[in-house]
Amino acid sequence: GEAAARRLDALFRRFAGGEEKECTVKIRRVEAVGGGRCINFHTDVSRRTMQVPLNNESDYDGGRLVFATKDGLVWPTRNAGSATLHDSSIAHGVSLHTRGVRYSLFFLDSPADAPRAA
């Protein structure tokens, strides 16, 4: 509800250094179709991204978030209501999604190349 939305907004603002600015919030629904789909490794356009899974990984097969780090691949466990946060320098992708539907809530701030407030 509203209290959960306020907590998520506060968490994203802390990650953004407490900046008081609006962010974009998106809900994403991804259904496994055909032989499945994946998202290749990439970096985001937004400076910072927070993703909140709205259902548990047991509701679908594959579709796992993976970060490429200097220490190797990191596959975070993502239970419904948890959050992953990263900035535009972190390469990440999503493994082949072969069954079920995955729902996520995204918080995004300005593009990485946007001028920053002084």
Side-chain angles (χ1 to χ4, degrees), residues 65-86:
L65 178 65
V66 57
F67 294 103
T69 73
K70 63 181 176 68
D71 297 321
L73 299 179
V74 175
W75 301 80
T77 300
R78 296 170 10 96
N79 297 314
S82 64
T84 56
L85 299 147
H86 63 274

Side-chain angles (χ1 to χ4, degrees), residues 37-89:
R37 295 186 182 157
C38 67
I39 299 174
N40 292 331
F41 280 99
H42 65 281
T43 56
D44 289 342
V45 173
S46 63
R47 286 192 314 166
R48 296 174 194 92
T49 301
M50 180 171 75
Q51 188 182 134
V52 180
L54 299 177
N55 58 331
N56 288 315
E57 290 180 328
S58 60
D59 294 339
Y60 51 88
D61 290 335
R64 294 209 43 218
L65 178 65
V66 57
F67 294 103
T69 73
K70 63 181 176 68
D71 297 321
L73 299 179
V74 175
W75 301 80
T77 300
R78 296 170 10 96
N79 297 314
S82 64
T84 56
L85 299 147
H86 63 274
D87 66 28
S88 61
S89 69

Side-chain angles (χ1 to χ4, degrees), residues 12-20:
F12 189 65
R13 287 181 193 278
R14 277 197 307 275
F15 177 61
E19 293 177 23
E20 289 293 327

Side-chain angles (χ1 to χ4, degrees), residues 73-112:
L73 299 179
V74 175
W75 301 80
T77 300
R78 296 170 10 96
N79 297 314
S82 64
T84 56
L85 299 147
H86 63 274
D87 66 28
S88 61
S89 69
I90 305 295
H92 59 285
V94 177
S95 69
L96 187 65
H97 178 188
T98 59
R99 180 194 66 83
V101 179
R102 188 167 64 101
Y103 297 93
S104 298
L105 183 64
F106 287 84
F107 289 72
L108 310 161
D109 73 0
S110 61

